[in-house]
Amino acid sequence: MQLTLPKSTQLTVPKPIKISPGIVLAAVQQDGSALKYADPKLKADPAFVLAAVQKNGRALKYADPELQDDPVFVLAAVQQNGRALKYADPKHKADPKIVLAAVKQNGRALQYADPELKADPKIVLAAVQQTKQFHHSLQVILQGPKCSFLRKFF
């Protein structure tokens, strides 16, 4: 049995409100994670994404995949929040320049780096120097077989 309401009692749902790009830009400039709610076209707009990741590096996860793959945007994201490396393409997790920038901002970003770079003395040292609470980073670092050079210090 199907219940039908009279036409006068049926609800009408309004069309979604179109928010101007200027309002969205203002929102991501205040809080980069607002990119999550942006129209897909804006998530692919370099100016919007750059504004978002410069405010909150983790906004990289909401960007269009093409921009997530762009080293300029990944670098901007990890310079703001090193842990944004988590959302980067694997090739960027293996890029020494990007990983070094990430660990200089947040030593714990090392956990998202390519295994080869987790054993790179320059990157490891930058990670340890950056973080005040480096015990977690050391646990990640010392897991690799190529880290014997560090074990003698701890």
Side-chain angles (χ1 to χ4, degrees), residues 124-143:
V124 170
L125 183 59
V128 171
Q129 287 175 334
Q130 189 286 322
T131 185
K132 293 175 186 159
Q133 302 169 354
F134 63 88
H135 295 294
H136 177 74
S137 294
L138 287 177
Q139 184 180 18
V140 172
I141 294 162
L142 294 174
Q143 288 175 356

Side-chain angles (χ1 to χ4, degrees), residues 6 36 80 144-145:
K36 176 181 182 177
Q80 195 285 322

Side-chain angles (χ1 to χ4, degrees), residues 10 45 49 61 124:
Q10 291 181 348
D45 183 301
V49 173
K61 75 178 178 179
V124 170

Side-chain angles (χ1 to χ4, degrees), residues 2 6 12 16 24 26 31 37 45 47-48 51 58 63 65 73 89 119 138 148:
Q2 185 176 8
T12 57
V24 177
D31 179 0
Y37 304 104
D45 183 301
F48 282 91
R58 289 182 174 208
F73 293 92
D89 186 90
L138 287 177
S148 60

